[in-house]
Amino acid sequence: MNDAVARALREFNERLDVFDPAPGPAVAEVRVGEQVIALRAPVVRALTEALLRYQDPRDRGTCDHCGSPRLDDNFVCADCARPSGVFGQLLAERASRYEPPAELT
Ligand SMILES: [Zn+2]
């Protein structure tokens, strides 16, 4: 895993250096295991922006009822166990009406 992270950082450096022929000295270093990757100012700015914009694919917003950020794939809150939002309510209503086929019962 460390090699993948270090490689991604090096490739990110290279991708941005192409656009900035005089990027200046390194202003930060990232240590990944034994490897140290030096980052110049344009790369630090871009990396900071990327980190701030990142949204985890598991982030489904917050629960309408208790504000918890822990909603499952069906928009059911892991903290108060209630479905959140219109989509969560629709899924809960459909699930309550679902009757399995006879061959599965
Ligand atoms: Zn909740």
Side-chain angles (χ1 to χ4, degrees):
M1 181 184 235
N2 283 353
D3 286 343
V5 172
R7 184 177 344 107
L9 284 167
R10 283 198 185 88
E11 288 176 5
F12 193 67
N13 258 344
E14 292 167 7
R15 282 177 23 217
L16 271 69
D17 281 353
V18 167
F19 300 111
D20 197 351
V27 296
E29 292 179 342
V30 176
R31 178 179 295 281
V32 183
E34 298 294 316
Q35 305 173 63
V36 176
I37 295 103
L39 306 175
R40 289 179 274 281
V43 174
V44 169
R45 280 193 297 272
L47 188 57
T48 302
E49 187 175 326
L51 291 170
L52 291 172
R53 288 179 182 220
Y54 176 77
Q55 182 172 2
D56 193 289
R58 297 168 296 177
D59 183 351
R60 298 172 188 91
T62 54
C63 175
D64 291 343
H65 308 288
C66 72
S68 167
R70 300 187 327 134
L71 301 176
D72 70 11
D73 289 343
N74 297 315
F75 294 88
V76 173
C77 178
D79 292 317
C80 74
R82 296 167 69 184
S84 182
V86 173
F87 192 64
Q89 190 64 41
L90 283 172
L91 287 174
E93 287 172 9
R94 284 205 172 222
S96 70
R97 289 194 308 258
Y98 178 74
E99 292 181 25
E103 59 268 19
L104 294 179
T105 57

